[in-house]
Amino acid sequence: MRALTNPYTPNAGAEPEAIVGRDDQLEWFDLLLARLARGRTEQSMIITGLRGVGKTVLLGQFRTKALERDWVVVELEVSKHDDTEFRRDVSSRLRAALLELSPRTRWTDRFTHAAAVLTSFTLSVDTAGSWSAGLGVDAAEGFADHANLSMDLTDVFLALGEAAKERDRGVVLLFDEIQFLSKLQLEALIGALHKMVQRKLPITMVGAGLPQIAGLAGDAKSYAERLFRFPEIRNLSPSDAKSALVRPAAAEGVTYSAAALDEAVIITGGSPYFLQELGCAVWTLADGPEITLDDVRTAVPGYEAKLEASFFRVRLDRTTELQRAYLRAMAELGPDAQKASDVADTMGRTSENLAPTRATLINMGLLWTPQHGYAAFTVPHFDQFLLRAIPVLDVPARKPRRGKP
């Protein structure tokens, strides 16, 4: 079949032709915005899940829903920035949000105050004034100039929220990869959003991140579990996985045999991203108009090669020799969460010696901790890839301590 008609979208964050299995999260987001628009309060969401389950795609759906309600959307893919860079990122996006709420020619006192507070927030990054909000107003003395990120961000949110409320509109922050926020940044965001709930102002945040973010949020602020819902999205059920393949193909007049669909579910494990990759690979090889079991099996080598060259390899290439050995030792033990002491035994080391390596892999987003003392891969099927890519576990020799023979 022709590449031009290929209905599958194996790209990071790309919206698939059929979004299935996520109705609960989409309905909750509708409820969240509807209640805030009525001046009520509602828990927001931080969506958690492993790589490839469709968290970024869901954020894209939320963006569409928010824009349909005439809300202002602020999008940010979080990076590991220091607090100064974080302020710059947030400030530039909130400046755009303020101008989207109202052009300068229609600013009321509330909007002018919000602009002044935002100017204060940016000047706290650069006291020399060489970088500012660019809103053409003087800084508001006593607001967002406390040299405290939590207090400053709360001032900005309060001013922006009052301006949005005056226009009968709202602002939704859609933050991806929020596990990369520092504790201080996460505390500041949660604290500012808590104040929005207390004042019943129409600013909210929906975040997406790896599973550890629920624990990180709770550590940052004890009331985070009451401020947010933490729905965990997983791989699709067999019926939803089949729908993710069948519905896009049907739009092009193509069907799947029952055996082909069963095999596709087994191969991908129901991972939304893997389904898109497999569907794309099958489409390029099959003659149609029915995709058969043989078509699916024939596509597997190309499907695996594509995943290994991009989805898996780019993550492994970021690691050191010792980190690769740690990951490979985990793969040796199986795909499930592994106890730190078991991994250390497999490597012939001690847990204490390997603790910094394990912590770095967690910080890099390659591992997460489902329970104390255990770690699991954040990438589905990563264990299978590691066994293929590194056939033999090779643990590098320990470097002697300085001053020791």
Side-chain angles (χ1 to χ4, degrees), residues 89-387:
D89 270 357
V90 171
S91 177
S92 62
R93 286 164 172 79
L94 294 183
R95 173 188 179 278
L98 182 65
L99 292 171
E100 188 174 342
L101 284 169
S102 177
R104 283 194 186 92
T105 54
R106 296 179 55 207
W107 277 4
T108 62
D109 289 345
R110 278 202 176 102
F111 276 85
T112 301
H113 174 68
V117 173
L118 191 53
T119 298
S120 294
F121 186 74
T122 61
L123 288 179
S124 64
V125 178
D126 185 357
T127 55
S130 59
W131 178 78
S132 69
L135 292 168
V137 298
D138 294 331
E141 188 174 353
F143 293 91
D145 58 3
H146 312 290
N148 178 294
L149 181 59
S150 184
M151 294 174 66
D152 291 350
L153 193 60
T154 298
D155 283 351
V156 172
F157 277 23
L158 284 170
L160 186 62
E162 292 287 358
K165 185 176 181 180
E166 185 178 75
R167 288 286 190 266
D168 292 322
R169 298 179 71 188
V171 178
V172 58
L173 314 176
L174 300 178
F175 283 11
D176 204 359
E177 301 285 5
I178 61 172
Q179 74 277 353
F180 291 136
L181 290 170
S182 71
K183 184 177 181 181
L184 184 65
Q185 294 159 5
L186 188 57
E187 285 178 346
L189 268 175
I190 294 173
L193 291 165
H194 188 217
K195 188 62 69 175
M196 297 300 97
V197 172
Q198 292 175 321
R199 299 288 179 87
K200 295 185 177 180
L201 293 174
I203 295 183
T204 191
M205 182 188 83
V206 177
L210 294 174
Q212 66 260 36
I213 190 58
L216 295 174
D219 291 341
K221 290 290 185 182
S222 61
Y223 52 76
E225 63 185 22
R226 287 165 284 158
L227 191 64
F228 296 100
R229 296 174 70 248
F230 293 92
E232 180 183 2
I233 61 174
R234 302 186 180 188
N235 288 344
L236 299 174
S237 68
S239 60
D240 284 337
K242 292 174 183 179
S243 292
L245 290 172
V246 167
R247 285 168 51 185
E252 297 294 337
V254 174
T255 62
Y256 281 79
S257 72
L261 289 172
D262 289 340
E263 184 75 359
V265 171
I266 293 171
I267 292 168
T268 63
S271 162
Y273 176 68
F274 292 173
L275 285 163
Q276 295 299 311
E277 284 285 12
L278 182 60
C280 183
V282 170
W283 194 271
T284 62
L285 297 175
D287 294 326
E290 181 184 67
I291 292 174
T292 67
L293 176 61
D294 285 343
D295 291 330
V296 172
R297 289 175 173 170
T298 301
V300 167
Y303 157 79
E304 290 182 342
K306 173 75 180 299
L307 286 178
E308 293 192 6
S310 56
F311 190 72
F312 293 130
R313 176 60 64 180
V314 294
R315 289 171 168 81
L316 188 61
D317 286 348
R318 295 161 48 205
T319 58
T320 65
E321 186 180 9
L322 182 58
Q323 290 165 358
R324 286 193 292 276
Y326 194 96
L327 294 172
R328 177 58 175 77
M330 283 187 60
E332 186 93 2
L333 296 170
D336 299 325
Q338 302 300 334
K339 195 173 182 179
S341 59
D342 292 340
V343 180
D345 288 344
T346 302
M347 297 178 66
R349 299 282 186 92
T350 66
S351 296
E352 292 77 12
N353 172 250
L354 291 169
T357 301
R358 179 175 179 270
T360 301
L361 290 168
I362 292 169
N363 191 44
M364 292 168 66
L366 293 174
L367 299 179
W368 72 287
T369 53
Q371 64 185 91
H372 180 70
Y374 285 78
F377 295 117
T378 61
V379 179
H381 298 183
F382 201 41
D383 61 307
Q384 299 173 27
F385 162 71
L386 288 165
L387 294 173

